[in-house]
Amino acid sequence: MEIDQTSLVGQWLQIGTKSLNGYERNQLYRNEGIDKEKGIPMFSEVGYLANADRIEDCRAAVVVDIDRDGDQDVLLQNFLGNTVVLVNKGPTGNWLQVKLQGTESNRDAIGTRVEIAVGSSRQVREVATTNGYLAGQSLECHFGLGEADVIDEVKVLWPSGSETRLENVRANQRLEIVEGTAESVVDIQR
């Protein structure tokens, strides 16, 4: 008897509570900076050293500053398993976090672009609600600054088309910026 293949289109494979992924070790990469000869970013796998190389069936990973100490932690959601929080206890450099509130643009500032300049280095973040498979992300923009104590410029490009610019912003703080208000910058320290 021949099976009509067109009747199978769009049907799901019934696997019950099994996983097709298997259980792999988590990997965690540390940014080692730019290779001066090749001009490309270099990374080292440090999952074992950071006790993050757990054997899991992870479906979603969210990077967020859970303990509000200025470094990034990781929240993992496993298939049919517990949620795991990996708290960053390692050494970190300087940082800046920016929380935005739209007035002309949407209140959560989704789609807003934040650019920072430290010397000749530039970083860009865009406010979004999703990141990867089955994962959200923080609405705060986090910037790692390494040794830098001061950010030369913070530029916020709102979806409405307006801009907010700040100069000589000190590191290791959280800023809240409200769209269209000159007095909008509030240092929201820990």
Side-chain angles (χ1 to χ4, degrees):
M1 176 173 135
E2 189 171 319
I3 297 175
D4 178 12
Q5 296 294 318
T6 58
S7 67
L8 300 176
V9 174
Q11 291 190 15
W12 291 95
L13 176 65
Q14 300 299 318
I15 61 171
T17 59
K18 305 284 189 271
S19 171
L20 295 176
N21 284 353
Y23 289 82
E24 302 92 15
R25 288 196 176 278
N26 293 333
Q27 295 183 338
L28 181 65
Y29 291 91
R30 179 178 55 211
N31 185 339
E32 301 290 354
I34 302 295
D35 181 301
K36 296 196 187 320
E37 292 178 15
K38 299 177 184 175
I40 59 173
M42 303 298 293
F43 297 90
S44 296
E45 206 288 314
V46 296
Y48 175 78
L49 298 172
N51 198 25
D53 69 336
R54 304 158 48 94
I55 297 176
E56 297 176 307
D57 195 2
C58 184
R59 297 304 168 101
V62 177
V63 178
V64 63
D65 184 4
I66 292 171
D67 53 3
R68 308 298 281 172
D69 63 354
D71 59 27
Q72 298 287 270
D73 308 303
V74 182
L75 181 83
L76 304 173
Q77 178 58 55
N78 291 293
F79 179 66
L80 298 178
N82 295 327
T83 299
V84 175
V85 177
L86 301 175
V87 178
N88 185 352
K89 295 295 184 190
T92 59
N94 293 330
W95 53 275
L96 176 71
Q97 291 177 355
V98 179
K99 173 75 173 132
L100 303 171
Q101 181 181 326
T103 55
E104 296 173 43
S105 304
N106 62 83
R107 183 168 175 79
D108 288 330
I110 295 167
T112 302
R113 184 180 172 102
V114 181
E115 303 174 358
I116 69 164
V118 178
S120 62
S121 176
R122 303 282 184 269
Q123 292 185 49
V124 177
R125 302 286 182 270
E126 187 169 307
V127 179
T129 57
T130 59
N131 182 23
Y133 178 69
L134 295 176
Q137 69 182 38
S138 173
L139 295 175
E140 287 185 0
C141 297
H142 180 92
F143 298 93
L145 304 175
E147 302 279 324
D149 304 270
V150 175
I151 299 92
D152 298 326
E153 181 182 52
V154 175
K155 182 166 61 170
V156 181
L157 304 167
W158 301 91
S160 67
S162 65
E163 261 186 37
T164 303
R165 287 179 185 259
L166 308 169
E167 293 181 349
N168 299 318
V169 176
R170 68 179 169 77
N172 301 324
Q173 66 172 318
R174 289 182 185 79
L175 296 177
E176 184 172 326
I177 302 173
V178 179
E179 180 181 18
T181 308
E183 304 80 35
S184 63
V185 179
V186 179
D187 180 355
I188 53 173
Q189 285 290 347
R190 300 175 210 178

